[in-house]
């Protein structure tokens, strides 16, 4: 601390009507909106900080991190300046502003912080023409529950001013403590720049048998792996954990330098966008492949020759093999959770283990409540996210280490593990079709009309003939969730059509970017007979998709010839 105290300013502003968090306390918009609209970012940051009760805010500790995308450094500086002006006592920030979403959750829980601000738009593209986002995690380390998101939104609609210390400057590259004397503040404001990996790595050491994984990656029967960080936040984590700590060769890790535009790529770990990894795995040289999204909470698993493990299968296989993980051998398994659209493969494992399954709306915040109450040990979503009660976020690297632990314990390949699982539990063929970038008004009317159709009394019992297949509607509903912990009711979370053979169709509206909307269509069909386990998912599901397109008229009403993305 040198020189005169740094002034605290109050800046007049006017509200924006579009700052409703999409869920979990997150606001995701085109980067140009944050950059170009006057006070757009400060308004939302002030709304987040003001949502914390004044008594809890004064002198508290918060965590700040980003996935390194374009505009993150500028935004981090603004967050620091506003946190200081709003009475926050201490900020923990990853070096160079970098912290994965799981690491933020880890640090919040470790140091008992009041919460954290994560600058990320998840798996969306970066750069000036991409997207930017701000996400608020609460004191349990998880995404903000709806009551907090609603409070943030209400504040954002009436905001008249924000507090900031515009002269406060920090060095994000220098590890250690930096202190600042502020006007009218009795105690100095403190910023601590920490290694982005270390605290999280220490947690992983308590969960896994690192010696077993290291033997797998370095021993005489070494498993050759290929891991793609997709130029997001996970590069430093992959290098430090998988290479430095667990012995994987340095060339096992690719695209490990975080870039503001993610190298011009879409940092989404699926077969559509992780093509570099997919092509490398198809060559047969590597036995295990993985990719991560921009902020490190999503992942994809591939086996030798590009064998794809669907997220729903991955969740079910992890559940069936938790005994391979020391953490679960010690803590036990209390329950499983999955989002409603996620396939029911997990339910079959849970039934065999006599463990309850909680079916929730999409959004990790619903799992946090279950884990805080001790009901849920493992949970996941079909959107490439899996996690456990070690954190309150989905955790991509944790999931990869689980898979490596299973391979080490079972001494089988990825494909062998998956096929053994199908042989025991049956295969759930599953596909998701995303219609992205639609007019919100159009999607509203499509979903309104579809709900009226499928929830009408005459729809149950209807039969649909497609080729040689005949599907009879057994049950339909608009999914509604009653939280078993606090009784909170969440309605209109997707339309479900369940057929007599247990096949499912799900329609769900998603609008995380806030500007355009997405309709997601999910299809699922179960096959018990092992002789039917080698079919292409889209071929198996094509009759269901035909029914879905017929009843929704989505192509006719949007002018689209097909989905934007298929996963």
């Amino acid at each position: 601390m040198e020189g005169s105290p740094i002034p605290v300013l109050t800046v007049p502003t006017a509200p924006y009507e579009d700052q409703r968090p999409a869920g979990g306390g997150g606001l995701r918009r085109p980067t140009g909106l944050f950059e170009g609209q006057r006070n757009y970012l400060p308004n939302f940051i002030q709304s987040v900080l003001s949502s914390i009760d004044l008594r809890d805010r004064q002198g508290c500790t918060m965590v700040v991190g980003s996935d390194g995308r374009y505009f993150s450094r500028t935004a981090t500086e603004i967050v620091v300046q506003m946190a200081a002006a709003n009475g926050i006592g201490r900020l923990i920030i990853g070096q160079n502003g970098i912290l994965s979403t799981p690491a933020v959750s880890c640090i919040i829980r470790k140091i008992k912080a009041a919460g954290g601000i994560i600058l990320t738009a998840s798996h969306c593209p970066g750069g000036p023409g991409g997207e930017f986002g701000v996400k608020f995690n609460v004191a349990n380390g998880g995404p903000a529950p709806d009551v907090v998101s609603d409070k943030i939104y209400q504040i954002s609609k009436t905001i008249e001013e924000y507090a900031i210390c515009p002269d406060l400057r920090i060095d994000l590259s220098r590890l250690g403590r930096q202190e600042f004397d502020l006007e009218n503040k009795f105690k100095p404001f403190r910023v601590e720049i920490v290694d982005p990996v270390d605290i999280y790595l220490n947690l992983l050491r308590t969960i896994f048998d690192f010696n077993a994984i290291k033997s797998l990656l370095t021993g005489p029967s070494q498993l050759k792996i290929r891991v793609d960080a997709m130029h997001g936040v996970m590069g430093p984590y992959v290098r430090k954990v998988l290479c430095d700590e667990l012995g994987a060769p340095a060339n096992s890790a690719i695209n490990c330098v975080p870039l503001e535009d993610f190298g011009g790529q879409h940092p989404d770990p699926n077969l559509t966008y992780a093509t570099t990894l997919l092509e490398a795995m198809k060559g047969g040289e590597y036995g295990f492949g993985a990719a991560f999204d921009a902020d490190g909470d999503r992942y994809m698993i591939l086996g030798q020759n590009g064998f794809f493990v669907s997220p729903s299968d991955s969740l079910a296989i992890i559940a069936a093999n938790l005994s391979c993980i020391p953490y679960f051998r010690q803590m036990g398994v209390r329950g499983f959770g999955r989002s409603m659209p996620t396939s029911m493969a997990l339910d079959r494992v849970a039934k065999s283990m006599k463990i309850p399954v909680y079916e929730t709306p999409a959004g990790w915040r619903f799992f946090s409540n279950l884990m805080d109450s001790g009901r849920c040990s493992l949970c996941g979503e079909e959107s490439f996210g899996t996690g456990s009660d070690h954190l309150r976020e989905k955790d991509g690297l944790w999931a990869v280490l689980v898979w490596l632990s299973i391979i080490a314990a079972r001494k089988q390949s990825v494909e062998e593990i998956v096929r053994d699982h199908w042989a025991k539990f049956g295969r759930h063929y599953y596909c998701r079709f995303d219609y992205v970038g639609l007019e919100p008004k159009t999607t509203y009317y499509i979903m309104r009309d579809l709900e009226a159709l499928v929830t009408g009394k005459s729809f149950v019992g209807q039969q649909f003939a497609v080729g040689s297949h005949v599907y009879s509607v057994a049950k339909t509903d608009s999914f509604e969730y009653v939280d078993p912990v606090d009784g909170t009711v969440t309605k209109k979370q997707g339309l479900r059509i369940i057929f007599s053979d247990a096949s499912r169709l799900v329609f769900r509206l998603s609008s995380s970017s806030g500007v355009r909307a997405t309709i997601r269509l999910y299809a699922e069909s179960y096959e018990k007979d092992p002789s039917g386990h080698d079919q292409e998912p889209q071929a198996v599901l094509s009759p269901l998709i035909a029914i879905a397109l017929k009843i929704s008229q989505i192509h006719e009403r949007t002018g689209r010839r097909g989905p934007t993305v298929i996963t």
Side-chain angles (χ1 to χ4, degrees):
M1 293 184 297
E2 298 179 0
S4 303
I6 297 171
V8 178
L9 303 185
T10 300
V11 181
T13 190
Y16 290 95
E17 289 295 319
D18 67 340
Q19 293 198 334
R20 178 190 289 276
L27 181 72
R28 194 182 302 168
R29 297 288 185 269
T31 306
L33 198 61
F34 280 99
E35 247 191 329
Q37 292 276 25
R38 180 178 173 82
N39 295 337
Y40 196 83
L41 177 63
N43 274 23
F44 189 71
I45 297 300
Q46 185 64 61
S47 300
V48 168
L49 295 173
S50 296
S51 75
I52 306 171
D53 289 342
L54 188 60
R55 287 175 299 177
D56 297 328
R57 193 195 324 158
Q58 295 301 314
C60 78
T61 297
M62 292 188 70
V63 182
V64 179
S66 82
D67 61 14
R69 70 180 56 232
Y70 176 80
F71 192 60
S72 290
R73 280 187 172 270
T74 299
T76 299
E77 187 171 81
I78 291 171
V79 169
V80 172
Q81 293 169 346
M82 294 187 66
N86 279 273
I88 306 300
R90 178 174 68 144
L91 290 183
I92 307 297
I93 307 176
Q95 189 176 25
N96 298 315
I98 293 289
L99 275 178
S100 73
T101 291
V104 170
S105 181
C106 171
I107 296 172
I108 290 172
R109 294 173 65 78
K110 174 72 175 178
I111 66 173
K112 295 180 170 56
I117 293 175
I118 311 172
L119 305 172
T120 178
S122 188
H123 55 288
C124 295
E131 295 205 2
F132 190 79
V134 182
K135 185 168 177 279
F136 179 48
N137 280 30
V138 293
N140 71 354
D146 287 348
V147 64
V148 174
S149 293
D150 290 342
K151 186 176 181 181
I152 293 170
Y153 180 50
Q154 293 305 319
I155 294 169
S156 79
K157 292 196 298 183
T158 58
I159 189 170
E160 295 180 345
E161 60 186 25
Y162 64 86
I164 191 167
C165 298
D167 296 336
L168 194 158
R169 297 286 184 270
I170 59 168
D171 182 354
L172 288 173
S173 66
R174 178 165 60 89
L175 291 171
R177 180 185 300 180
Q178 302 169 44
E179 290 192 346
F180 305 89
D181 190 14
L182 308 181
E183 281 185 355
N184 303 318
K185 303 289 182 182
F186 295 111
K187 293 184 178 180
F189 172 66
R190 182 188 305 169
V191 173
E192 293 180 25
I193 308 298
V194 301
D195 182 285
V197 185
D198 283 351
I199 297 174
Y200 173 71
L201 172 56
N202 286 335
L203 175 63
L204 294 179
R205 288 190 182 110
T206 68
I207 295 172
F208 297 100
D209 182 347
F210 269 24
N211 288 330
I213 300 175
K214 189 169 186 176
S215 295
L216 176 73
L217 300 180
T218 62
S221 302
Q222 174 190 2
L223 175 70
K224 294 191 70 174
I225 68 173
R226 191 75 162 175
V227 180
D228 189 349
M230 301 189 82
H231 288 303
V233 75
M234 288 306 293
Y237 296 83
V238 169
R239 290 205 179 281
K240 195 159 191 173
V241 178
L242 288 174
C243 299
D244 298 347
E245 184 84 8
L246 295 173
N251 62 5
S252 302
I254 60 172
N255 299 323
C256 282
V257 177
L259 298 176
E260 289 191 337
D261 66 348
F262 310 116
Q265 302 302 310
H266 203 123
D268 198 353
N270 58 45
L271 296 177
T272 301
Y273 297 115
T275 52
T276 301
L277 175 68
L278 180 60
E279 290 307 310
M281 294 303 298
K282 284 180 177 178
E285 179 182 355
Y286 304 99
F288 178 88
F292 302 104
D293 74 338
D295 65 321
D297 59 356
R298 300 172 195 245
Y299 71 103
M300 177 178 70
I301 301 295
L302 296 175
Q304 194 168 24
N305 303 314
F307 183 86
F308 172 64
V309 184
S310 77
S312 292
D313 275 348
S314 180
L315 173 62
I317 290 165
I318 288 173
N321 289 277
L322 287 179
S323 62
C324 298
I325 314 300
Y327 175 86
F328 292 104
R329 291 200 297 269
Q330 178 183 349
M331 303 295 292
V333 181
R334 291 176 293 280
F336 297 140
R338 65 167 175 83
S339 64
M340 181 273 286
T342 301
S343 99
M344 298 178 72
L346 177 67
D347 301 51
R348 296 186 185 274
V349 175
K351 185 177 180 180
S352 74
M353 297 172 68
K354 296 182 172 60
I355 288 175
V357 176
Y358 297 91
E359 186 178 38
T360 73
W364 210 260
R365 62 196 182 279
F366 297 103
F367 295 136
S368 293
N369 227 20
L370 295 170
M371 290 187 283
D372 284 348
S373 68
R375 285 172 166 82
C376 188
S377 302
L378 172 76
C379 44
E381 298 184 314
E382 49 72 35
S383 53
F384 295 84
T386 309
S388 85
D389 58 357
H390 71 293
L391 295 178
R392 295 299 181 266
E393 281 283 4
K394 45 188 178 282
D395 189 346
L397 185 53
W398 172 90
V400 165
L401 293 178
V402 170
W403 265 95
L404 291 174
S405 300
I406 294 170
I407 293 169
R410 294 184 51 162
K411 297 179 171 53
Q412 290 179 294
S413 69
V414 171
E415 183 171 351
E416 288 169 339
I417 290 167
V418 174
R419 291 193 179 280
D420 276 4
H421 184 88
W422 291 343
K424 181 176 181 179
F425 295 101
R427 181 175 183 183
H428 286 257
Y429 285 97
Y430 185 88
C431 219
R432 186 181 96 185
F433 292 73
D434 290 354
Y435 293 84
V436 179
L438 302 174
E439 285 287 346
K441 188 175 182 180
T442 301
T443 60
Y444 167 79
Y445 285 118
I446 290 174
M447 293 298 291
R448 184 200 65 179
D449 296 345
L450 190 57
E451 180 175 0
L453 174 68
V454 304
T455 59
K457 292 180 180 179
S458 63
F459 196 77
V460 172
Q462 279 197 35
Q463 292 189 331
F464 294 89
V466 183
S468 60
H469 300 269
V470 178
Y471 294 89
S472 180
V473 178
K475 178 186 175 183
T476 67
D477 68 3
S478 175
F479 181 64
E480 178 178 301
Y481 177 64
V482 180
D483 192 306
V485 180
D486 58 23
T488 302
V489 179
T490 308
K491 298 183 178 183
K492 291 186 174 294
Q493 294 300 302
L495 301 174
R496 293 190 294 186
I497 304 172
I498 302 169
F499 297 95
S500 56
D501 65 350
S503 296
R504 289 198 310 163
L505 284 173
V506 175
F507 297 86
R508 192 172 73 84
L509 182 61
S510 175
S511 56
S512 57
S513 71
V515 179
R516 309 288 283 181
T518 297
I519 289 180
R520 306 194 196 279
L521 162 60
Y522 311 81
E524 178 179 6
S525 182
Y526 176 68
E527 179 57 70
K528 175 66 175 174
D529 186 351
S531 67
H533 289 171
D534 281 321
Q535 303 174 75
E536 282 295 319
Q538 287 190 52
V540 173
L541 297 169
S542 61
L544 285 170
I545 298 299
I547 296 169
L549 296 179
K550 178 181 179 180
I551 63 175
S552 68
Q553 297 287 293
I554 190 169
H555 290 174
E556 292 82 353
R557 298 182 68 170
T558 63
R560 300 288 180 89
R561 294 183 177 180
T564 313
V565 181
I566 302 174
T567 54

